[in-house]
Amino acid sequence: MAESPFDVTIRVAEIQDAEPFPEAEKPELVKLWLDFGDETRQSAAQLGYHHAAENLPGMQVLCATNLGSVRIAGFKSEALTVGVPGEDGNPVLVTPEKTVPVGGALY
């Protein structure tokens, strides 16, 4: 687990699968299954405002991978998928400009 914001590891993952997460209390949450090359992880991300779950598989995203895990409505989220606020204030995914090898760390 990271002790300070400077200890956070952000890696590239490819979304393998995604589905809406209506049982979660937070609106527009989506379940993600992520491939980091050397491992797979799950993530719950509030992406439904700008991203349809069926369009997410195959996308590359940036994820914080050393923050620990949390359970959200019974789903184990093991990575924090990184987003920034759009004009409406809701999350928009941060993605590499070009396709890059999965698992690569941000530097």
Side-chain angles (χ1 to χ4, degrees), residues 9 11 32-36 39-45 63-72 75-81:
T9 300
R11 296 176 62 200
L32 302 174
W33 287 267
L34 305 165
D35 176 15
F36 288 92
E39 64 178 330
T40 58
R41 293 188 185 200
Q42 301 177 154
S43 179
C63 301
T65 57
N66 62 331
L67 299 176
S69 63
V70 332
R71 285 213 172 266
I72 301 170
F75 182 78
K76 186 176 183 182
S77 184
E78 305 165 305
L80 174 68
T81 304

